[in-house]
Each structure stands twice: as C-alpha cells, then as structure tokens.
Amino acid sequence: MYRLFLKIATRYLLKNKLYSFINIIGLAIGIASFVLIMLYVNYERSYDTFKGSENVYRVFMDYLEGGKYVPGDANTYIVSGPTLKEEFPEIEDFVRIRRVKGLVLLHDNTVFDDKTGALADPSYFNIFDRTLKKGDLNTALNEPYSMVLAASLAQKIFGPEDPIGKTVEIAAGGNTPFKVTGVMEGEVQNTHIKNDFLVSFQTFYTWPVFERDWKYTWNQNEYYTYLKVDKNTDFDLLNQKVMDLDPEGLGNERHHLEPIEDIHLTSNKPYEAESNGSADSVRLLAIIAFITILLSWMNYMNLSTSKSLERAKEIGVRKVVGARRPQLIVQSLLESALLNFIAIVLAIAVVYLVLPLFNRFVGQDFQLDSTLLQGLLPYFGFILFGGLLSAFYPALVLSKYKAVKVLRGKLRTSSNSINLRRGLIIGQFLVTITLLTGAFVANKQIRFLENRPIGADLDHLVALDGQILNREKDSLLKADFGTLVDELKKSPFVKDVALAQTYPGDDFSHLNSNIGVIFPNGTIDTTRVWYNYAVQPDYFKVTGMEFAAGGAFRQTASEKGHDIVINEKMAHLMGVSDMESLVGKTMKFWDVDFTISGVVKDYHHFGLKSPIEPMIITHNKSIGNVLVKLDLPAATIASTTEALEQLNKTWHQVFPESTYNYTFLDQNFEAQYKEDKKFASAFQIFTILAILIASMGLFGLTSYTCIQRRKEIGIRKVNGASITQILQLLNQDFVKWVGIAFIIAVPISWYAMSKWLEGFTYKTTMSWWIFALAGITALVIALLTVSWQSFRAATNNPVDALRDE
C-alpha cells in the first residue's frame, strides 16, 4: 500500500511541475538559509567553551566614578591573581597572561614577524584545558626563557624537525634566545585570546624588556587574569566577595568577575585581547534564521491548501470507491515527506556549494565535517519536526472534503480555514516589513558611521612600523628614526612626517591609562580614568587635528618636553568651558608639572562605537609609529603602489636589518566596523531570501483565491465588469492585509532595532520614512506578486468558468 502511495505521490509531483518547483525551492532556500545562519550563530556562541569552562572566570577592574563603580579595563594587576587565590579558598587556581603583539621571531637567520605572544603562568594548560602535541605539560612553562609554540608556527619554523630543545630568538630589546619546551595541540580559533606562542611567566622577572615594570604591583594593570573555581561555588556570592575585597594599594578600584564563556559576545571593555562580537547581532541573526524557515513552512501550507481545491474531485472519487480518511492523510503526508526530502537534499547541496563563499563573507573556515554536523543535529530535528507539522494541516484539509459536495460542485471552504490562511499571509507581511525596516536601519547606521566626521584627517595617511633586529632601543636608534624622518620628507610622494606612539583608530594596547591628576585650579581628581600617549609636535599637522585654543607644543632638544595638549573632553572634566583660559596653565600628574600648550578639538580616537574619553597628549621622542602624509597630487599621478615602494625602500636604507609594515589609517579606522558591515550585509541577503519565500506564499494564496472566485469573476465579467475592476476586487484584500501587518510591524521593528543601536555610542535616528519605505516596498512586492495571477483570472473567458452552471 505504501509503495502505491509513494508512486501516486511521485506522479503527482511530476505532473504538477510548477507547484512542486515552487514548494521545493521555497523549502530548500529556507532550510539552507537556516543552516548557514545557525552555523555562524553556533560558532559565535561556542567561544571559550571547553571542558571545565563553566568554572572559569576572568577578572576585570571597576572604577569609582561619580560615587558609583562602573566597568573599567579588561586588564588587572600582576598581584591580582595571587591575592584573590590567597583570600578565597573556593578559587582553585589562577593564570596571568601578559600579551605582546607584533613580535619578531628568528631562527637560523629566518624572520617570522608580526606574531602575538604572551607571558603565561604554568597553570595556563590546566585552566584553558589545552594539551601539548610535544613536550611535558607539567614543566613546559616552569623555567625562565622557556617557550611553547602553536603547532602552525612550529611547522613554519622547524618544518618536519622536532622543535623540542631547540632555540628561537625574540627580537625585542635586542635578540633574546628562548628554549622550545612544547608544541600546543591543534589550533583554537573560537577563543577571545589567541596566541602564536607562550613564554614562561618567570621570564618576566629577568627579561630586560620588562625591567621598568619589575617594581610595579598595584599600579600597572597590564595582565589578563583568569580564575578556576570549585564546581560547587556560588558565583554570585564569590563575585560579591571579590568586589568587596579592598587590598591595600588598590585605591578607587575593585575587582569584578565575568564568566569566560560570556566574554566574546558581551564584553567590550578597554584593552580587550581582541575585538569581540555582539550578542544583539547574533541574537537578531538567529531570529532571522527561524523566521526564514517558518516563512518557508507557511509558504508550503498556503501552496498546499490552494492546490487542494484542484484535487477535491480526486478526493471525492477516491472516497466513493472506499478510501478512508486515515489513508488519505497518509497519502498526503507521504507526498509532503517526499517533497521535504527532496528539499532537504537540495538544501544540503546548496549549503555545500555556497559554504566557501559564506566562509569568505563571515571570515571563517567552516567545514561540513562530523563535528560541525553533530552540532547541527538539534536543528535538523527541529527542521524535520517543523516540516511534519506544516504537512499535517494540508493533509487534514484535503482529507475532510465531503464526497457528495465535491462531486456536486458545491465545495466551500470554511471560514476558519480562510482566516488561518489570511493570518499566515499577514504574518508573512509582518515579517517582510520588519526585516525590511531592519535592513534599512542597519544600512543607515553603517553609512552614518562612515560619513560622520571624526575630528582628524586620515586620508592618504600611512603608519609605518617594524622591528629593528639586533639592536636595543637606545639614543642611537632614536637618532636613526630622526634620519628616517628627514629622508622620507625628501620624497616627492611625501607631504609631511611625524612620530607618534599611536593614532586615531589604533587599539587600546598602544595607549596609557591613568588615575590621578591635579587640575590647574588645584582640584585633585583621583577617580576618573584618563588616557594619554606621546607624540612629536608635527603629529597634529599630519593628522589634521584642529585646536580650540593654543597650539602644539614646541620642539625641544631634550628627549621629553613638559608641554602637553589636552582635548576638549579633558577640559570639560575640569569644569572649564573657556578653552583659551587653560593655555599656559599647569597640570600635575606622575609627580611632574606639565604646561598646557593647547586644547585640541575632540576627535574619535577609539572609533564611533565608543565615547570620546579625556585625553592628554604628551611630548616625547617616541618610537612607535612613523606617520606619513602622502602628497595627494603626486600620489595620484604616480600611483599609490609606487609611493609605497618608495617608502619601503627608504625605510630599509635606514634600517637594513628590520621588518617593515604599513597601515592606511583611514582603512584601519573603518575596519572597526567590519563586523557591523557583515551583519548589515547578512541582514540584506537573508531579508531578500525571506521576501522571496514570502512572495511564493502570496502566489499560493492568490492562486487559491482565484480558483475559489472563478465563477464569481465570470459572472461579474458577463455583467460588464472591466479588467481593472476585477483586479481591484482581487487585490484589495492584500492591500488591507499589508496595512494590518504594517501597523503591527512598526512597534516590533522599532523596538528590535532600538536594542541593536544601543550597542553604538553614536547612532543614527530611525526616521519615519524608514518605516514608510518598508511598508511601501512590502506593498509593491505584494501587488507585483499577486497581480500576475489576478490578471490571468481577470482576462480568462467567463464561458469557461460558467460552462457547468
């Protein structure tokens, strides 16, 4: 019997090719979109999940501002971990990590540059559940000048050789040899703190690179601290005890704990190890995934029920010859199962084919291996369950037709069925308008970020940096950088040059943060965090910053100057509105008196996702970045490539033994919004797919309506109704449904996108025209979708509809 049912189902799907094609394509698009989005969502939610990760927490600092504590830096102090472990017995272990970016490794005169390493305690492997491919976990990071390499880096440096016991040099403050004591197993990508290699923390106390830091305890927070606690620990209680702890020397700060599993999506603090994701964006994408597949099921239900009218006589005849309702339900479910099976197979094929493109889009390397598929098993169960539920309703509708009414031509659909289908269509319009609004708002926000003035001119501005090999940072090296500046200025491609510790759009790691300053009026502020960095005087001209009062500090022969420039935010922190009154006044910090030479207008150093912070810019012959302003006419006539080649050549003339890197500052600044641009693009793509699926559902309902009202249309045409009047008759309901959906969608979309925009300090407004445009677009899509079927019905010969009357 089931073989017969399957044969009938196959014949029916082959006979009704358009119906089968629309249903299969709609379901396949919905399922493929769902799988792809959930691949990304699962990956984002999997960050820092490993065996025991539920008992691992990161320590961060809160700062006392305005009488209350606010979240501060992601970094802590070198003594934070040991102090907390000593105070609280529920803390089993701790690990301190001090990262150093952009390091250069050398082996057999081969350079391996731009690597990120970290000092780490031996407990690193226990807390992060990492294993070694080679070496001893218990001793790998015990001795000073020991090093553990990531597997990929070990392969690059040593090839097939066993690296254990061999030496690698780090070019920092001269070349320092390190003994390789381990190779880490595998590469962990879904972690908020990635390292190419680890150095034993004991090295810190004797490595000259950190000599100036040896004396610090509670006055330099440059360490990530992670705690492993007993599995039976009450986290809230422990966290409160940690916050209440006031060790001597901590001042107006306190420690705070956060689960390591939450860091990637919920933490966005200064000095994060890397840019984190957004829980709101991931949540919205997951909602889009479920909406897309729900739309495909709604589309299937509409098409199936519309097609059931054409099969009414078949059902009537089969009932007359003895078919029972359960058999008809099984027959219908087999047809649905066959159709869904084809759609699932097609969806998997689509996922497989577009996965490389999707990987480039999201910047990942997903592979359809057993591990990935295992993570998707619950979703495949959801897909099968949802497909089964969506198939039941058409099966019930089809099987309940009365044979006598069908064969007499008196079939009528119940009001409940009509209302359900109308509800489904309104739901599709509701989703369509909401998604369109979200896509418009996301694009508007991205354009807002790209076009908002940042208070600096970064166009054609290039930052040069590199590691000078075999030399320490002494006065001779600084003199050579002066020579480099002079040589660069001779180039016809170069407009100006300056040295600076950092620049707008650079990350927090190149900034200094401090607490404690005496303002010109004598007020002492020991609560508010302020940031500072060192530059040379030409920095302000090169970056195009404007002064609200005064000007840049004077060039001095000494290595450091006692003139400073502050931003307007720092002036406002002092309670001063007259910027000119601050010029020439004295501020005191670091136990040194500094003279304010100028107040620079506020600029966005951290990007537009963060608020402008109080900033002090000091005068120092810092060797951090060489900022080169390219001459615009020369750069356009010759080419940017030729200009960059000239910069490279000049650099290596001065520093023949060195690495060399360059960064366009405008591109680097915009890179902060890379994830937001991906989110906006993903929103657009999956909105278009959802609209396509919804349009198929509209096509199904239009077909159903035209079949039901076929005779009515014929009678109206016989009585003189024009094609325009018939079109108006058939389309007016859809206009009404769009209106109902629009009214419901506006508050939903406004709330959803308001929550998303909360992740931005500077955000666009949700103008009324966005909602209007989304509603009009949905209406146009609906009318275009239904008008084809309506026009066919309106132009049919009425004789065909009335022949059997």
Side-chain angles (χ1 to χ4, degrees), residues 307-381:
K307 201 67 178 174
S308 67
L309 275 181
E310 296 181 11
R311 304 187 67 183
K313 288 186 177 180
E314 173 197 338
I315 299 303
V317 171
R318 292 178 68 178
K319 281 191 171 184
V320 167
V321 298
R324 292 173 297 171
R325 189 178 185 188
Q327 291 175 314
L328 296 174
I329 292 175
V330 170
Q331 171 67 56
S332 180
L333 290 176
L334 270 176
E335 291 175 5
S336 297
L338 179 61
L339 192 144
N340 274 273
F341 174 76
I342 297 171
I344 290 174
V345 171
L346 181 60
I348 293 174
V350 169
V351 169
Y352 182 80
L353 291 174
V354 304
L355 192 58
L357 180 63
F358 183 75
N359 281 336
R360 287 197 294 272
F361 179 72
V362 299
Q364 299 298 338
D365 186 26
F366 297 130
Q367 302 291 333
L368 288 179
D369 53 22
S370 58
T371 303
L372 193 61
L373 291 175
Q374 186 177 356
L376 291 174
L377 281 179
Y379 299 119
F380 280 118

XYZ file of all heavy atoms in Angstrom, residues 307-381:
590
model
N -3.705 24.314 -3.635
C -3.725 23.235 -4.618
C -4.775 22.175 -4.266
O -5.240 21.426 -5.142
C -2.332 22.586 -4.675
C -2.056 21.818 -5.952
C -1.982 22.748 -7.146
C -1.665 21.984 -8.417
N -1.718 22.846 -9.600
N -5.168 22.119 -2.989
C -6.112 21.076 -2.572
C -7.464 21.214 -3.262
O -8.177 20.226 -3.453
C -6.292 21.117 -1.050
O -6.933 22.318 -0.657
N -7.834 22.458 -3.634
C -9.106 22.638 -4.337
C -9.098 21.929 -5.685
O -10.116 21.375 -6.120
C -9.382 24.128 -4.544
C -10.049 24.872 -3.382
C -10.262 26.317 -3.755
C -11.355 24.216 -3.014
N -7.947 21.953 -6.358
C -7.862 21.283 -7.650
C -7.956 19.763 -7.495
O -8.315 19.058 -8.438
C -6.540 21.649 -8.340
C -6.431 23.132 -8.680
C -5.122 23.437 -9.389
O -4.421 22.472 -9.791
O -4.786 24.619 -9.550
N -7.641 19.254 -6.301
C -7.660 17.809 -6.077
C -8.960 17.348 -5.413
O -9.084 16.194 -5.036
C -6.469 17.412 -5.204
C -5.126 17.834 -5.781
C -3.999 17.270 -4.961
N -3.919 15.818 -5.060
C -3.051 15.074 -4.387
N -2.201 15.649 -3.565
N -3.051 13.757 -4.512
N -9.880 18.294 -5.217
C -11.102 17.956 -4.484
C -11.865 16.811 -5.155
O -12.344 15.880 -4.480
C -11.988 19.189 -4.358
N -12.019 16.889 -6.482
C -12.769 15.832 -7.167
C -12.049 14.489 -7.061
O -12.683 13.445 -6.939
C -12.976 16.204 -8.634
C -13.997 17.340 -8.812
C -14.307 17.589 -10.256
C -15.379 18.675 -10.394
N -15.713 18.966 -11.807
N -10.690 14.532 -7.119
C -9.923 13.286 -6.950
C -10.221 12.670 -5.587
O -10.452 11.449 -5.473
C -8.427 13.582 -7.071
C -7.534 12.382 -6.749
C -6.095 12.760 -6.461
O -5.668 13.861 -6.895
O -5.408 11.969 -5.783
N -10.242 13.490 -4.546
C -10.514 13.001 -3.196
C -11.945 12.454 -3.113
O -12.209 11.405 -2.492
C -10.302 14.128 -2.163
C -8.852 14.619 -2.206
C -10.663 13.659 -0.767
C -7.829 13.541 -1.965
N -12.892 13.178 -3.757
C -14.281 12.718 -3.743
C -14.440 11.359 -4.388
O -15.119 10.467 -3.846
N -13.817 11.181 -5.543
C -13.910 9.893 -6.240
C -13.272 8.783 -5.403
O -13.828 7.681 -5.278
C -13.228 9.987 -7.620
C -13.117 8.609 -8.263
C -13.983 10.938 -8.525
N -12.113 9.074 -4.796
C -11.426 8.050 -4.010
C -12.247 7.667 -2.780
O -12.251 6.522 -2.343
C -10.050 8.550 -3.591
C -9.102 8.697 -4.797
C -7.751 9.229 -4.401
N -7.023 8.258 -3.589
C -5.800 8.441 -3.128
N -5.189 9.577 -3.389
N -5.209 7.517 -2.403
N -12.957 8.654 -2.213
C -13.810 8.326 -1.072
C -14.993 7.471 -1.504
O -15.431 6.564 -0.779
C -14.307 9.617 -0.400
C -13.270 10.270 0.515
C -13.888 11.373 1.360
C -12.904 11.854 2.408
N -13.496 12.852 3.308
N -15.555 7.758 -2.681
C -16.701 6.993 -3.171
C -16.326 5.534 -3.383
O -17.123 4.623 -3.117
C -17.247 7.607 -4.478
C -18.228 6.655 -5.166
C -17.934 8.935 -4.182
N -15.102 5.293 -3.851
C -14.682 3.912 -4.119
C -14.085 3.240 -2.887
O -13.501 2.157 -2.995
C -13.676 3.847 -5.287
C -14.307 4.345 -6.582
C -12.421 4.645 -4.964
N -14.194 3.916 -1.704
C -13.855 3.221 -0.472
C -12.656 3.720 0.301
O -12.310 3.141 1.351
N -11.997 4.767 -0.165
C -10.838 5.265 0.581
C -11.276 5.877 1.904
O -12.263 6.610 1.955
C -10.087 6.293 -0.254
N -10.557 5.566 2.969
C -10.870 6.122 4.279
C -9.972 7.344 4.542
O -8.924 7.502 3.945
C -10.658 5.060 5.354
C -11.671 3.913 5.289
C -11.301 2.816 6.270
N -10.014 2.214 5.931
C -9.366 1.360 6.697
N -9.878 1.017 7.867
N -8.216 0.859 6.310
N -10.435 8.171 5.504
C -9.716 9.411 5.787
C -8.283 9.167 6.244
O -7.355 9.865 5.785
C -10.480 10.240 6.825
C -9.884 11.633 6.986
C -10.648 12.491 7.963
N -10.092 13.835 7.988
C -10.431 14.776 8.844
N -11.352 14.524 9.782
N -9.875 15.967 8.790
N -8.006 8.194 7.144
C -6.611 7.950 7.535
C -5.701 7.637 6.352
O -4.542 8.048 6.317
C -6.710 6.773 8.494
C -8.083 6.876 9.072
C -8.942 7.362 7.952
N -6.274 6.882 5.366
C -5.473 6.562 4.185
C -5.141 7.827 3.386
O -4.030 7.999 2.882
C -6.226 5.568 3.305
C -6.365 4.177 3.919
C -7.216 3.268 3.057
O -8.290 3.666 2.577
N -6.743 2.037 2.877
N -6.141 8.725 3.277
C -5.915 9.972 2.547
C -4.882 10.852 3.267
O -4.073 11.521 2.625
C -7.232 10.732 2.383
C -8.299 10.019 1.534
C -9.607 10.796 1.572
C -7.809 9.850 0.105
N -4.933 10.835 4.611
C -3.953 11.615 5.389
C -2.556 11.053 5.168
O -1.586 11.805 4.949
C -4.326 11.607 6.885
C -5.613 12.405 7.111
C -3.185 12.169 7.729
C -6.123 12.351 8.541
N -2.435 9.708 5.204
C -1.134 9.077 4.984
C -0.623 9.397 3.587
O 0.563 9.698 3.391
C -1.226 7.552 5.200
C 0.063 6.871 4.744
C -1.503 7.233 6.657
N -1.548 9.354 2.593
C -1.163 9.682 1.221
C -0.605 11.106 1.129
O 0.441 11.354 0.530
C -2.377 9.553 0.304
C -2.167 10.078 -1.120
C -1.177 9.252 -1.894
O -1.353 8.047 -2.023
N -0.136 9.883 -2.395
N -1.323 12.033 1.764
C -0.888 13.431 1.729
C 0.439 13.619 2.457
O 1.321 14.358 1.998
C -1.956 14.334 2.359
O -1.555 15.679 2.342
N 0.591 12.949 3.603
C 1.838 13.069 4.350
C 3.013 12.467 3.593
O 4.140 12.985 3.663
C 1.703 12.396 5.711
C 0.791 13.096 6.727
C 0.678 12.275 8.002
C 1.313 14.494 7.051
N 2.762 11.372 2.849
C 3.832 10.794 2.032
C 4.267 11.762 0.938
O 5.456 11.894 0.643
C 3.373 9.475 1.419
C 3.643 8.217 2.245
C 3.053 6.994 1.566
C 5.141 8.031 2.443
N 3.299 12.452 0.338
C 3.638 13.464 -0.670
C 4.477 14.572 -0.041
O 5.466 15.023 -0.614
C 2.365 14.034 -1.287
C 1.605 13.061 -2.161
C 0.286 13.640 -2.658
O 0.023 14.833 -2.392
O -0.476 12.907 -3.314
N 4.069 15.002 1.162
C 4.823 16.051 1.859
C 6.212 15.565 2.229
O 7.197 16.300 2.111
C 4.075 16.478 3.118
O 2.825 17.043 2.806
N 6.290 14.292 2.690
C 7.586 13.748 3.079
C 8.523 13.681 1.879
O 9.716 14.016 1.981
C 7.412 12.367 3.690
N 7.994 13.250 0.717
C 8.799 13.178 -0.488
C 9.284 14.563 -0.895
O 10.469 14.769 -1.205
C 7.995 12.543 -1.624
C 8.698 12.425 -2.977
C 9.951 11.558 -2.851
C 7.742 11.845 -4.024
N 8.365 15.520 -0.848
C 8.717 16.882 -1.232
C 9.749 17.465 -0.272
O 10.724 18.092 -0.691
C 7.447 17.737 -1.254
C 7.531 19.117 -1.891
C 6.230 19.440 -2.621
C 7.797 20.172 -0.839
N 9.558 17.249 1.051
C 10.501 17.762 2.040
C 11.857 17.076 1.929
O 12.902 17.718 2.120
C 9.942 17.570 3.451
C 9.034 18.701 3.887
O 9.483 19.704 4.412
N 7.731 18.540 3.655
N 11.845 15.776 1.629
C 13.104 15.059 1.467
C 13.916 15.647 0.313
O 15.125 15.886 0.443
C 12.831 13.577 1.218
C 14.069 12.782 0.908
C 14.952 12.421 1.919
C 14.353 12.403 -0.401
C 16.106 11.703 1.629
C 15.500 11.682 -0.696
C 16.385 11.326 0.321
N 13.245 15.888 -0.812
C 13.938 16.485 -1.954
C 14.476 17.864 -1.588
O 15.607 18.226 -1.933
C 12.991 16.576 -3.170
C 12.563 15.169 -3.615
C 13.661 17.309 -4.323
C 11.475 15.164 -4.671
N 13.641 18.651 -0.849
C 14.055 19.998 -0.464
C 15.260 19.958 0.472
O 16.185 20.770 0.348
C 12.890 20.721 0.205
N 15.282 19.012 1.422
C 16.396 18.906 2.368
C 17.676 18.514 1.646
O 18.748 19.075 1.902
C 16.057 17.904 3.488
C 14.969 18.474 4.409
C 17.298 17.551 4.301
C 14.458 17.504 5.447
N 17.567 17.540 0.725
C 18.741 17.135 -0.052
C 19.273 18.307 -0.860
O 20.484 18.575 -0.907
C 18.396 15.949 -0.974
C 19.545 15.669 -1.941
C 18.068 14.705 -0.158
N 18.351 19.038 -1.500
C 18.759 20.202 -2.286
C 19.381 21.269 -1.378
O 20.380 21.905 -1.749
C 17.549 20.775 -3.026
C 17.810 21.997 -3.913
C 18.824 21.664 -4.999
C 16.503 22.479 -4.555
N 18.797 21.466 -0.180
C 19.327 22.473 0.750
C 20.742 22.114 1.180
O 21.616 22.990 1.259
C 18.418 22.581 1.967
N 20.994 20.836 1.474
C 22.337 20.408 1.875
C 23.327 20.638 0.737
O 24.459 21.080 0.957
C 22.321 18.933 2.302
C 21.503 18.765 3.598
C 23.738 18.403 2.510
C 21.302 17.331 4.011
N 22.879 20.348 -0.489
C 23.739 20.594 -1.653
C 24.043 22.079 -1.797
O 25.189 22.473 -2.081
C 23.068 20.066 -2.925
N 23.028 22.931 -1.571
C 23.226 24.380 -1.655
C 24.213 24.835 -0.578
O 25.116 25.643 -0.846
C 21.876 25.118 -1.506
C 22.097 26.616 -1.333
C 20.988 24.861 -2.718
N 24.046 24.336 0.649
C 24.960 24.697 1.744
C 26.381 24.302 1.388
O 27.330 25.080 1.581
C 24.524 24.013 3.063
C 25.606 24.165 4.122
C 23.212 24.597 3.553
N 26.551 23.106 0.868
C 27.879 22.622 0.497
C 28.507 23.503 -0.579
O 29.698 23.840 -0.528
C 27.788 21.178 0.016
C 29.111 20.569 -0.349
C 29.969 20.074 0.633
C 29.517 20.497 -1.679
C 31.199 19.517 0.294
C 30.742 19.949 -2.027
C 31.581 19.455 -1.038
O 32.797 18.915 -1.374
N 27.692 23.908 -1.570
C 28.214 24.693 -2.697
C 28.542 26.128 -2.300
O 29.541 26.695 -2.767
C 27.205 24.681 -3.856
C 27.017 23.344 -4.580
C 25.885 23.435 -5.593
C 28.311 22.918 -5.270
N 27.697 26.728 -1.466
C 27.906 28.144 -1.136
C 28.753 28.331 0.123
O 29.076 29.473 0.471
C 26.559 28.889 -0.965
C 25.701 28.736 -2.199
C 25.807 28.417 0.271
N 29.126 27.236 0.792
C 29.884 27.359 2.034
C 31.204 28.105 1.846
O 31.551 28.956 2.688
C 30.133 25.980 2.650
C 30.662 25.980 4.093
C 29.706 26.715 5.019
C 30.859 24.550 4.589
N 31.987 27.849 0.774
C 33.224 28.635 0.601
C 32.954 30.137 0.493
O 33.681 30.941 1.078
C 33.809 28.073 -0.714
C 33.253 26.694 -0.810
C 31.872 26.785 -0.243
N 31.901 30.509 -0.247
C 31.536 31.916 -0.360
C 31.080 32.470 0.984
O 31.445 33.588 1.382
C 30.436 32.084 -1.408
C 29.930 33.508 -1.667
C 31.065 34.370 -2.225
C 28.763 33.495 -2.649
N 30.309 31.677 1.712
C 29.829 32.088 3.026
C 31.013 32.249 3.988
O 31.035 33.182 4.808
C 28.854 31.041 3.555
C 28.223 31.387 4.874
C 27.218 32.340 4.956
C 28.627 30.752 6.042
C 26.636 32.659 6.168
C 28.049 31.063 7.264
C 27.046 32.018 7.321
N 31.999 31.369 3.898
C 33.188 31.468 4.743
C 33.930 32.776 4.505
O 34.385 33.432 5.452
C 34.125 30.290 4.488
C 33.662 29.022 5.185
O 32.944 29.077 6.166
N 34.064 27.873 4.672
N 34.069 33.162 3.239
C 34.739 34.430 2.936
C 33.926 35.593 3.474
O 34.480 36.596 3.939
C 34.943 34.572 1.428
C 36.023 33.660 0.864
C 36.465 34.104 -0.509
N 35.403 33.972 -1.501
C 35.163 32.877 -2.197
N 35.910 31.789 -1.992
N 34.196 32.831 -3.081
N 32.625 35.453 3.413
C 31.741 36.523 3.860
C 31.859 36.752 5.360
O 31.941 37.895 5.825
C 30.299 36.168 3.480
C 29.285 37.178 3.914
C 29.198 38.400 3.287
C 28.428 36.905 4.958
C 28.261 39.340 3.680
C 27.489 37.827 5.373
C 27.409 39.055 4.722
N 31.877 35.681 6.150
C 31.931 35.822 7.618
C 33.348 35.734 8.159
O 33.560 35.889 9.358
C 31.049 34.754 8.303
C 29.608 34.906 7.880
C 31.542 33.336 8.010
N 34.342 35.484 7.267
C 35.725 35.427 7.710
C 36.067 34.200 8.527
O 36.915 34.264 9.419
N 35.419 33.067 8.236
C 35.678 31.825 8.973
C 36.050 30.714 7.993
O 36.114 30.935 6.781
C 34.459 31.431 9.806
C 34.059 32.444 10.858
C 35.131 32.667 11.904
O 36.010 31.832 12.117
N 35.070 33.821 12.563
N 36.280 29.542 8.531
C 36.636 28.391 7.691
C 35.809 27.187 8.120
O 36.344 26.169 8.563
C 38.136 28.100 7.808
C 38.584 27.007 6.842
O 37.922 26.844 5.807
O 39.579 26.323 7.142
N 34.496 27.299 7.996
C 33.616 26.199 8.370
C 33.770 25.052 7.379
O 33.848 25.260 6.167
C 32.159 26.659 8.382
C 31.862 27.734 9.390
C 31.196 28.888 9.021
C 32.253 27.598 10.705
C 30.923 29.882 9.932
C 31.987 28.585 11.636
C 31.319 29.729 11.248
N 33.806 23.834 7.907
C 33.860 22.626 7.091
C 32.733 21.700 7.525
O 32.476 21.546 8.718
C 35.207 21.909 7.258
C 36.416 22.754 6.906
C 36.528 23.046 5.431
O 36.044 22.273 4.598
N 37.159 24.160 5.088
N 32.067 21.085 6.545
C 30.957 20.174 6.869
C 31.517 18.824 7.312
O 31.337 17.799 6.660
C 30.035 20.012 5.660
C 29.170 21.234 5.316
C 28.313 20.957 4.092
C 28.285 21.613 6.490
N 32.211 18.835 8.449
C 32.757 17.592 8.981
C 31.819 17.040 10.045
O 30.768 17.620 10.352
C 34.157 17.820 9.554
C 34.193 18.968 10.565
O 33.131 19.306 11.130
O 35.282 19.523 10.784
N 32.205 15.916 10.637
C 31.331 15.248 11.600
C 31.072 16.108 12.833
O 29.967 16.132 13.373
C 31.961 13.910 12.027
O 33.253 14.117 12.592
N 32.094 16.862 13.277
C 31.926 17.705 14.463
C 30.900 18.799 14.212
O 30.015 19.056 15.040
C 33.274 18.333 14.859
O 34.228 17.301 15.083
C 33.124 19.171 16.114
N 31.005 19.424 13.050
C 30.082 20.513 12.708
C 28.668 19.982 12.545
O 27.696 20.576 13.041
C 30.550 21.197 11.423
C 29.899 22.537 11.085
C 30.178 23.557 12.167
C 30.412 23.047 9.750
N 28.526 18.857 11.856
C 27.196 18.276 11.644
C 26.584 17.820 12.967
O 25.371 17.916 13.159
C 27.299 17.107 10.669
C 27.640 17.486 9.217
C 27.840 16.239 8.373
C 26.550 18.360 8.607
N 27.420 17.339 13.884
C 26.908 16.914 15.181
C 26.312 18.106 15.932
O 25.286 17.984 16.611
C 28.042 16.284 16.000
C 27.575 15.686 17.325
C 28.714 15.002 18.070
O 29.826 14.912 17.578
N 28.430 14.527 19.257
N 26.940 19.258 15.812
C 26.417 20.447 16.450
C 25.102 20.915 15.856
O 24.319 21.611 16.511
N 24.847 20.512 14.594
C 23.615 20.923 13.923
C 22.478 19.917 14.091
O 21.361 20.174 13.638
C 23.884 21.119 12.420
C 24.761 22.317 12.037
C 25.058 22.288 10.538
C 24.099 23.635 12.408
N 22.763 18.760 14.720
C 21.736 17.725 14.856
C 20.445 18.227 15.505
O 19.342 17.912 15.028
C 22.296 16.536 15.639
C 23.196 15.576 14.846
C 23.701 14.457 15.743
C 22.441 15.001 13.651
N 20.512 19.015 16.590
C 19.253 19.511 17.168
C 18.448 20.347 16.184
O 17.212 20.302 16.179
C 19.726 20.364 18.355
C 21.077 19.840 18.691
C 21.680 19.418 17.392
N 19.145 21.083 15.321
C 18.449 21.922 14.343
C 17.826 21.079 13.236
O 16.756 21.401 12.727
C 19.406 22.957 13.763
C 19.966 23.886 14.808
C 21.337 23.941 15.044
C 19.123 24.682 15.579
C 21.851 24.784 16.017
C 19.636 25.523 16.549
C 20.999 25.572 16.765
O 21.500 26.403 17.729
N 18.516 19.998 12.846
C 17.915 19.109 11.859
C 16.662 18.446 12.435
O 15.678 18.235 11.721
C 18.919 18.043 11.403
C 19.905 18.527 10.385
C 21.262 18.532 10.652
C 19.473 18.999 9.152
C 22.173 18.991 9.717
C 20.376 19.465 8.205
C 21.723 19.466 8.490
N 16.702 18.136 13.722
C 15.493 17.620 14.378
C 14.373 18.645 14.344
O 13.206 18.298 14.092
